[in-house]
Amino acid sequence: MTATAVAATLGAFAAAPGLPSSTAAALSHGLARSGAPAPFVDCRDTKRVALTFDDGPTQYTAAILGTLERQHTVATFFLIGPHALHYRKDVPRQLRDGDAIGDHTVTHPNLTRLPPARIDHELETAAGEIASVTGQWPTLFRPPFGAWNARVRGAAGAEGLSVVMWSVSPQDWKNHNPHLIEQSVLARARPGAIIVLHDRYATTHRPSRTSFTR
């Protein structure tokens, strides 16, 4: 898959056991794969990046989790609330693997175009649906389309959610060529980068013919 290639070929980089904030410092979350609490990591100093996946879980999420497990890599998944309910088996697996889980709304709208009550509904309802599966209220939030403003940030804060954006996007939602997606990510990966991918597209998890295995 492209995610396989990204996880396996970041070269000098490693996937962080947490998610970098806008200052590129990793947020501690959950349990690391060893079972110990994930440490706080400054991704710039340790040459790490954060892999993140939006819009899941979907029928492709299990394959992505398998890849991450084989590469001993963790990621952060921003979940659509109803998807978490539909693909319930994938979400506990993410937690067991040490992955972080965040809120990505109920219907994936552009929140900046919605009235405050609808914004609150999208964030709170999705968080509740996710928590019904994980037993934990999410603390991370990624706005659909990366569209947010002060009103959206305020609503997220009221729900205890930190807004997390990204710094590297191969636009796998538009570009469905696995090799090009892979090369776009690898060419732009830098210490502290936050890479956004989507586990809703078959081409994001499909192997690239030129995938490295080092």
Side-chain angles (χ1 to χ4, degrees):
M1 73 172 229
T2 300
T4 302
V6 170
T9 67
L10 283 171
F13 299 103
L19 182 72
S21 69
S22 58
T23 60
L27 299 174
S28 176
H29 71 270
L31 296 177
R33 291 193 186 279
S34 64
F40 184 89
V41 177
D42 189 318
C43 295
R44 294 166 298 182
D45 292 342
T46 57
K47 299 183 72 173
R48 297 181 181 228
V49 300
L51 286 175
T52 70
F53 293 87
D54 290 2
D55 298 353
T58 70
Q59 65 267 41
Y60 307 119
T61 302
I64 289 174
L65 291 174
T67 294
L68 295 173
E69 290 161 2
R70 289 190 296 274
Q71 298 297 330
H72 305 289
T73 299
V74 292
T76 299
F77 291 86
F78 290 94
L79 310 186
I80 300 291
H83 293 190
L85 299 178
H86 186 71
Y87 294 93
R88 299 180 72 94
K89 292 183 179 179
D90 292 329
V91 181
R93 181 179 175 185
Q94 291 168 342
L95 289 179
R96 289 194 301 269
D97 285 349
D99 300 319
I101 291 176
D103 186 330
H104 201 47
T105 74
V106 176
T107 64
H108 202 276
N110 183 329
L111 295 172
T112 64
R113 299 176 181 174
L114 300 183
R118 178 73 187 281
I119 296 173
D120 292 342
H121 169 78
E122 288 284 341
L123 273 61
E124 182 178 4
T125 302
E129 291 171 336
I130 293 168
S132 73
V133 180
T134 65
Q136 305 172 16
W137 194 266
T139 59
L140 305 176
F141 168 67
R142 175 167 286 163
F145 311 106
W148 64 297
N149 53 22
R151 186 170 58 190
V152 173
R153 182 176 59 188
E159 297 296 335
L161 300 168
S162 298
V163 177
V164 179
M165 298 297 287
W166 61 83
S167 60
V168 175
S169 172
Q171 296 187 326
D172 59 333
W173 49 269
K174 177 175 70 174
N175 176 9
H176 299 297
N177 182 312
H179 173 67
L180 294 180
I181 296 171
E182 171 193 334
Q183 293 304 309
S184 175
V185 171
L186 298 179
R188 299 166 62 193
R190 299 290 185 273
I194 304 175
I195 300 165
V196 59
L197 295 164
H198 298 79
D199 46 338
R200 68 184 300 175
Y201 303 113
T203 45
T204 298
H205 80 90
R206 189 170 296 160
S208 162
R209 292 182 180 180
T210 59
S211 295
F212 300 100
T213 57
R214 66 175 180 270

